[in-house]
Amino acid sequence: MTRPSRLARYGFADNGTRAADLLGPHGLRLWDAEAQAPVDTDASELIHALSRAADPNLALRQLHRLIDAVARAAQRVNGGPVTGPGEEIVDSPAADAVLRAIYADAGLRRRLIAVLGASSALGDHLVANHDQWRVLATGKSGMPPNAEGHLEFGDSTGEGPPTVPLLRTAYRIALLRIVAADLTGGRGLEPTMAALSRLADETLSAAYAIALAGLPEGTSRPRLAVVAMGKCGGYELNYVSDVDVIFVAAGDEDLSAGTTVAARLIEVCGQVAWPVDAALRPEGNRGPLVRTLASHQAYYRRWARTWEFQALLKARPAAGDLDLAAEWIDDLAPLVWHAAERPEAVEDVRDMRRKIIDNVPAREVEREIKRGPGGLRDIEFAVQLLQLVHGRIDETLREPGTLPALRALVAGGYVGRDDGETLLRGYRFLRSVEHRLQLQHLRRTHTVPDEPKALRWLATALGYKAMGGRDAVEAFRSDWVAHATHVRRLHAKLLYQPLLEAVARVPAEALRMTPESAGRRLEILGFADPAAALRHLQSLTGGVSRTAAIQRTLLPMLLQDFADAPEPDRGLLNYRHVSEKLGSTPWYLRLLRDGGPVARRLARVLSLSRYATDLLARDPEALRLLADDAELQPRPRDVLLDGFIAAADRHLRDGAPDAAKAIAAVRALRRRELFRLACADILSRAGELAPPDPLDVDAVGIALSDVTDATLGAALHAARRAHPGPEGLRFTVIGMGRLGGYEMSYPSDADVLFVYAPPPGMSDGEASASAHAIAEELRRTLAAPAPDPALGVDADLRPEGRQGPLVRSLNAYAQYYARWSKVWESQALLRARFVAGDVGLGQEFEQLADTMRYPSGGLTREQVIEIRRIKARVETERLPRGADPNTHTKLGRGGLADVEWAVQLLQLRHGYALPALRMTRTLEALVAETQAKLVDKVDAAAMTAGWTLAAQVRNALTLVRGRPTDQLPRHGVELAGVVQLLGGGDPGEFVDRYLRLTRRSRAAMERVMDA
């Protein structure tokens, strides 16, 4: 017995044992068993061709069967016995002629072996029709056979339509040629899908002719159109698929005969090629098979659901009366391209996709390349939803095919280039896998096998080879997982982007952005200067660039958001300025288009807040913060301080320290944090645009205080590098006022005290100059003119105020407070806390402050009276001239100062005995006082409501105006902006509510102060 191991090297199974029999002297006579080599050069070429097939064993087995069938048929023709297939091929000139043709025609050899090795079903067909191998031969011109999907009948049909058997033969021949070209011609996926769709069209047309010819004599020929739908309509038919169609009759007189023709067409196609599925027609399988043009129009106008309009995206004339089909499509087009404006349309498409996934059996869902997550349906649904939404005004998107539509979406700027290319590659890969799976047995399947042998065949059929330490299956799996992951991610990104719903809600006419339609819409939306707004629009959308195309998609939707603000013109102008600054950057418009709610968030920020807009103008890249909900949360104090100091240190290296650049870096980081907090604040009451964890006024105050702490800490770090002072000098910054109480607002200065302690052995006076230089450097650098917002550092709460020294030693503070301190200074110390510098010294100062702010035995009667007197004086003297005391948020009735004075009076009176009162934050202290039954619960609730609303309004006024004010206006755009920032509603009612709450707060304060 010969050793077959040499054949195993060609890829034959069983170590080549079976191949040796089929190729040996009793088989194809291509292999010399003694020499363990092909019998000659021709045999060697053929064996090499077999080894390159997707399944060499299948290709060899089918070739053996084909040659055997040819030999047995020739034997029968010559009067020989009728025999069945066997292992031994009888000598036959006919069989030798087939082999010689294969030897002589390299193209035929390549095509035939590829088909035999990839499809057992087509191999069986060739064995049963053993003369059809010739249709794969190279033509006399040297060109391969036509594989464009055309049916060829020759002269056999005469004048009439073909017979059903003749049509079946022509179909199989055309299919054979398409398969051979697909497997060997290097043609891409799209030509193959187009050829299969063309073959379907011609088959439908031939079946239509057969059906017409079969009508009873005397029956009038109906006007009947066959409209291709689904994959056939999109020119993306696969090898084994139902062909989706809709039948349309011109009028009632065509219905009876048209239904007969349609039913016969379905029957013929089922006998010849594939089932025809008309279930996409109105009412599905429960509805009539054929409807008139008018009946279709009535149904789609009244009853059609979103998925039915989605299906119509792929409709095209296929057979029958093509003019009628085109008329039907044109008649329904306006309905298709307005379907996305239905309130439920976008969610309907998403819901349909979810239902498809839910219907996939659980054991197959991860192997389903069509319906499963990351499969073909993910790409198709994303593309079709984008077509429905954006195709209303962009006719370039009205492509029936998935790939042409996807390219148009990329060209129009609706899908990013990288995302589009990823989806194109994913679609080609998944479709190629589907084609190879279906080819094997010519059965409809979309499930990747899990059996190792079948999986290995699939990988080989797709062209994968073992290399680089990975076998073909591993390489295929790796690519499959990568494509599915990318497709799944982009499907979610495109199908669920909030921008889609926002754009879908804009009427198609408004989306067109012509000067006439844009001008009318600007007037309707309430723009004060429509002509100027139109110039902004033309500047942003003019031209044919990709940037202009994306802006044309964004702006119709953003105009509505601008219009919701009190000053739409300002929002649009700000948007133009930002776009002009960032328009040339590759990420800006991509972020607006793909970044979830970024575009609408930006519109709200730009249209409602001059403060945030000014910050963004100085740092346009901060726009990225709007894309990530996590970036709209305050950063911890320690993280801020570490980052600020690290930024300063980059410019304070030994050898060439640059204090100016160090502080510039710190102020730039502060600006970014202020923008982060302003945006989070602006969006916190913005409904669907709000981050998951919106900020209230307490969180904003704490976050702004943390940013100020970090800024002061980094500035002190830089100042001490610039003015080191004597070794061992300790220096600390104590927060006072709103900074000490963690109640900073956007316009707040940093109220501080500067404290130092001299090195051991050095007097206070000797260290004073160095400490003073540090404090002055810190104040100067943070307040100096610069592109970034200044931070005022106010030390006026120090002993003796502005007449006293800027910096004092801890001992000097102790001496002053022991001898000269007044009750208002004790009140100010209620908010004192360590902010930056030497921690130990800060704690020592806090301990010193405790002796003053929580005096033993509380306040005397005279001190209480003094506090009330100062409070009355502040109300009359510090309220700005012309200010309305009823709506002044800081010093007005029931506002911030009223509540704070009441709370602080109780802390001064009872803090020595109740440690729970010893805290710097107003509302926390008020809660503790309520729990200690020092304040009635009703009064506490009234003061809490008044203080909170006043703090919210004060912040909102700064955000809206871009500069600080404490006065709530009674009318105008600024009031409207404040109201919208704080949740919306009627401005007049908002003012009434403010007056009502602060009036109650004032009454409660008076009861506390007079108790």
Side-chain angles (χ1 to χ4, degrees):
M1 184 174 179
T2 58
R3 291 169 48 201
S5 59
R6 291 284 298 279
L7 280 172
R9 298 174 189 174
Y10 289 95
F12 296 112
D14 301 325
N15 204 27
T17 302
R18 177 64 174 155
D21 294 337
L22 297 178
L23 291 168
H26 299 295
L28 292 170
R29 303 177 181 86
L30 302 177
W31 187 255
D32 186 335
E34 292 298 328
Q36 282 291 292
V39 295
D40 55 28
T41 303
D42 290 335
S44 176
E45 290 288 339
L46 183 51
I47 292 173
H48 273 91
L50 290 166
S51 74
R52 290 191 292 271
D55 186 343
N57 301 285
L58 175 63
L60 173 57
R61 187 166 63 251
Q62 297 289 54
L63 179 63
H64 183 281
R65 291 179 62 213
L66 173 61
I67 299 301
D68 180 46
V70 170
R72 287 186 291 104
Q75 188 179 39
R76 289 195 300 273
V77 169
N78 293 328
V82 177
T83 59
E87 293 291 324
E88 185 171 348
I89 299 176
V90 298
D91 288 329
S92 167
D96 292 341
V98 175
L99 288 172
R100 284 197 301 273
I102 294 172
Y103 295 152
D105 187 343
L108 168 63
R109 179 170 64 245
R110 189 170 63 255
R111 288 185 282 273
L112 178 61
I113 299 304
V115 171
L116 296 177
S119 176
S120 59
L122 287 176
D124 291 345
H125 172 80
L126 284 171
V127 170
N129 301 272
H130 51 76
D131 285 336
Q132 287 189 13
W133 61 269
R134 302 177 190 277
V135 304
L136 301 179
T138 304
K140 294 180 180 178
S141 64
M143 298 295 291
N146 187 302
E148 298 306 313
H150 297 298
L151 295 173
E152 295 181 1
F153 300 109
D155 298 328
S156 54
T157 61
E159 294 294 324
T163 62
V164 173
L166 190 59
L167 177 57
R168 184 187 305 115
T169 299
Y171 174 83
R172 280 298 173 119
I173 288 172
L175 181 64
L176 266 173
R177 288 174 168 172
I178 293 171
V179 172
D182 181 19
L183 295 172
T184 65
R187 68 194 293 176
L189 172 71
E190 288 174 86
T192 299
M193 295 191 301
L196 289 167
S197 302
R198 193 175 300 112
L199 176 58
D201 287 0
E202 296 199 8
T203 305
L204 287 169
S205 295
Y208 184 87
I210 292 172
L212 275 182
L215 286 172
E217 189 173 345
T219 304
S220 299
R221 289 195 168 195
R223 284 196 67 197
L224 179 70
V226 184
V227 180
M229 304 287 287
K231 289 188 289 293
C232 185
Y235 290 106
E236 51 197 26
L237 200 62
N238 49 26
Y239 283 113
V240 184
S241 174
D242 292 353
V243 170
D244 297 312
V245 301
I246 289 179
F247 296 104
V248 183
D252 291 341
E253 67 279 5
D254 301 299
L255 280 176
S256 177
T259 301
T260 302
V261 170
R264 177 57 176 155
L265 179 148
I266 293 173
E267 179 185 3
V268 169
C269 288
Q271 295 170 352
V272 167
W274 17 249
V276 169
D277 188 348
L280 291 178
R281 67 187 185 269
E283 299 182 80
N285 291 327
R286 296 187 300 275
L289 182 62
V290 181
R291 283 179 184 258
T292 64
L293 200 65
S295 175
H296 275 106
Q297 178 70 235
Y299 174 85
Y300 281 105
R301 282 191 180 279
R302 186 171 184 185
W303 303 109
R305 290 170 288 176
T306 304
W307 71 263
E308 293 177 279
F309 291 113
Q310 184 182 350
L312 289 176
L313 290 172
K314 294 186 175 296
R316 65 172 180 82
D321 192 322
L322 300 181
D323 291 337
L324 177 61
E327 183 182 353
W328 178 81
I329 292 170
D330 291 342
D331 198 35
L332 296 180
L335 301 179
V336 174
W337 300 116
H338 282 83
E341 294 172 12
R342 296 175 163 202
E344 72 282 2
V346 173
E347 189 53 39
D348 279 351
V349 176
R350 294 169 177 168
D351 188 53
M352 178 63 72
R353 177 62 187 125
R354 287 191 290 268
K355 287 179 180 177
I356 290 173
I357 293 177
D358 291 343
N359 287 330
V360 180
R363 65 181 181 278
E364 296 178 4
V365 69
E366 293 301 323
R367 296 185 290 117
E368 249 277 358
I369 59 169
K370 179 180 179 181
R371 297 175 296 164
L376 289 162
R377 281 286 187 263
D378 273 357
I379 301 173
E380 292 166 353
F381 268 68
V383 169
Q384 289 163 16
L385 180 55
L386 289 170
Q387 284 181 281
L388 284 174
V389 171
H390 299 299
R392 291 176 293 159
I393 57 145
D394 189 343
E395 296 186 7
T396 65
L397 305 183
R398 299 180 183 183
E399 291 279 356
T402 301
L403 292 182
L406 181 53
R407 291 192 187 97
L409 286 166
V410 173
Y414 306 100
V415 175
R417 290 189 182 93
D418 291 342
D419 291 349
E421 186 57 37
T422 299
L423 289 174
L424 286 168
R425 288 197 300 268
Y427 187 88
R428 293 190 191 106
F429 174 86
L430 294 168
R431 261 306 169 87
S432 297
V433 173
E434 180 187 50
H435 279 191
R436 295 299 175 265
L437 284 171
Q438 294 182 347
L439 261 183
Q440 189 175 23
H441 302 294
L442 285 186
R443 292 179 189 159
R444 181 164 53 173
T445 180
H446 314 97
T447 307
V448 174
D450 52 4
E451 195 272 320
K453 183 178 179 181
L455 201 55
R456 188 162 47 252
W457 170 86
L458 176 60
T460 306
L462 288 165
Y464 286 94
K465 294 180 172 58
M467 58 190 304
R470 290 196 310 177
D471 64 18
V473 172
E474 289 175 342
F476 162 69
R477 279 189 181 279
S478 176
D479 284 356
W480 177 28
V481 169
H483 283 298
T485 301
H486 290 318
V487 167
R488 190 179 311 183
R489 173 180 61 83
L490 292 175
H491 166 78
K493 175 180 177 180
L494 297 175
L495 199 71
Y496 292 93
Q497 58 178 236
L499 184 66
L500 267 182
E501 291 167 282
V503 174
R505 287 194 289 265
V506 179
E509 181 60 28
L511 285 173
R512 296 189 188 279
M513 294 296 289
T514 62
E516 296 77 13
S517 65
R520 286 196 302 272
R521 186 160 188 243
L522 290 169
E523 291 179 10
I524 293 170
L525 290 175
F527 280 78
D529 188 350
L534 185 58
R535 288 194 296 272
H536 298 324
L537 293 180
Q538 290 169 338
S539 174
L540 290 164
T541 63
V544 296
S545 68
R546 183 178 180 81
T547 297
I550 297 175
Q551 290 282 23
R552 285 193 291 271
T553 302
L554 294 169
L555 275 165
M557 173 267 302
L558 295 180
L559 286 176
Q560 184 63 59
D561 289 305
F562 294 140
D564 290 339
E567 295 182 281
D569 303 73
R570 179 172 297 280
L572 179 57
L573 176 62
N574 290 337
Y575 179 76
R576 178 180 176 181
H577 289 161
V578 171
S579 294
E580 287 174 346
K581 285 190 176 183
L582 291 175
S584 60
T585 60
W587 57 266
Y588 169 60
L589 288 173
R590 183 170 67 240
L591 181 66
L592 295 188
R593 182 194 60 209
D594 301 339
V598 174
R600 297 191 60 212
R601 283 177 170 176
L602 176 63
R604 179 175 172 87
V605 169
L606 295 179
S607 58
L608 286 180
S609 175
R610 297 189 186 189
Y611 180 83
T613 300
D614 290 344
L615 292 173
L616 183 62
R618 297 187 183 102
D619 181 18
E621 295 211 1
L623 171 64
R624 295 176 187 266
L625 298 178
L626 298 178
D628 188 349
D629 288 337
E631 293 287 358
L632 293 175
Q633 293 300 309
R635 301 169 76 195
R637 179 183 185 276
D638 292 344
V639 172
L640 290 170
L641 181 58
D642 291 344
F644 283 25
I645 290 178
D649 276 341
R650 283 193 285 272
H651 304 284
L652 296 173
R653 296 185 178 90
D654 293 336
D658 191 331
K661 288 186 177 179
I663 290 299
V666 170
R667 289 176 63 170
L669 288 179
R670 175 173 177 265
R671 175 196 61 214
R672 176 68 65 95
E673 295 306 316
L674 291 176
F675 180 73
R676 182 197 310 277
L677 297 175
C679 289
D681 197 357
I682 294 163
L683 297 170
S684 286
R685 297 172 189 82
E688 62 186 2
L689 301 180
D693 299 312
L695 303 186
D696 59 19
V697 70
D698 291 335
V700 172
I702 293 170
L704 288 170
S705 301
D706 286 342
V707 171
T708 304
D709 284 6
T711 305
L712 290 170
L716 177 58
H717 176 76
R720 296 214 60 172
R721 291 292 296 272
H723 301 280
E727 186 176 352
L729 174 67
R730 294 192 297 158
F731 190 98
T732 195
V733 180
I734 301 297
M736 302 288 285
R738 300 205 168 280
L739 174 60
Y742 290 103
E743 294 162 0
M744 291 282 284
S745 60
Y746 295 105
S748 296
D749 288 343
D751 291 319
V752 301
L753 299 177
F754 295 116
V755 186
Y756 74 94
M762 181 179 291
S763 68
D764 287 359
E766 292 177 280
S768 176
S770 296
H772 190 275
I774 293 170
E776 283 290 7
E777 178 72 7
L778 183 149
R779 297 178 74 196
R780 181 189 65 79
T781 55
L782 289 178
D788 299 308
L791 173 61
V793 179
D794 188 342
D796 289 353
L797 291 176
R798 65 187 184 268
E800 301 178 80
R802 294 181 182 178
Q803 282 72 45
L806 179 64
V807 184
R808 288 177 186 255
S809 69
L810 183 64
N811 289 334
Y813 276 105
Q815 293 171 10
Y816 174 86
Y817 289 138
R819 295 183 63 186
W820 309 108
S821 178
K822 297 178 182 178
V823 69
W824 73 263
E825 291 176 295
S826 295
Q827 182 181 355
L829 286 172
L830 285 169
R831 294 187 174 209
R833 67 174 177 87
F834 165 75
V835 165
D838 188 281
V839 177
L841 181 59
Q843 292 172 343
E844 292 175 38
F845 184 89
E846 288 178 351
Q847 291 168 4
L848 170 63
D850 285 348
T851 65
M852 303 303 300
R853 55 190 172 185
Y854 312 124
S856 178
L859 297 179
T860 65
R861 177 180 177 81
E862 290 74 17
Q863 288 174 320
V864 172
I865 293 172
E866 175 66 9
I867 288 177
R868 291 171 180 164
R869 186 189 66 78
I870 296 173
K871 172 74 171 69
R873 181 181 171 189
V874 166
E875 286 185 16
T876 58
E877 294 182 3
R878 293 186 57 190
L879 193 69
R881 180 176 297 178
D884 183 350
N886 293 309
T887 54
H888 196 276
T889 59
K890 183 176 180 181
L891 300 175
R893 295 165 191 166
L896 298 173
D898 271 2
V899 177
E900 289 161 5
W901 279 74
V903 170
Q904 290 164 11
L905 176 60
L906 292 177
Q907 287 181 288
L908 288 167
R909 294 180 65 183
H910 303 284
Y912 76 97
L914 298 173
L917 305 188
R918 299 174 187 175
M919 53 189 66
T920 64
R921 295 185 61 201
T922 300
L923 294 187
E924 284 186 352
L926 179 56
V927 170
E929 290 165 357
T930 307
Q931 292 172 347
K933 303 199 181 323
L934 300 175
V935 180
D936 180 79
K937 290 182 179 180
V938 174
D939 286 345
M943 288 193 290
T944 298
W947 188 94
T948 299
L949 183 57
Q952 290 173 334
V953 169
R954 191 168 188 244
N955 279 345
L957 282 167
T958 301
L959 289 172
V960 170
R961 298 177 78 245
R963 58 187 187 276
T965 183
D966 295 315
Q967 185 71 62
L968 175 65
R970 297 281 188 136
H971 51 76
V973 294
E974 290 179 359
L975 172 62
V978 167
V979 172
Q980 192 162 344
L981 275 182
L982 297 181
D986 180 79
E989 292 179 2
F990 180 86
V991 172
D992 290 343
R993 176 171 170 262
Y994 181 89
L995 294 172
R996 184 171 62 253
L997 291 180
T998 52
R999 184 171 60 249
R1000 293 172 183 170
S1001 175
R1002 174 74 175 193
M1005 179 275 295
E1006 290 175 343
R1007 284 190 287 271
V1008 172
M1009 294 288 288
D1010 293 340

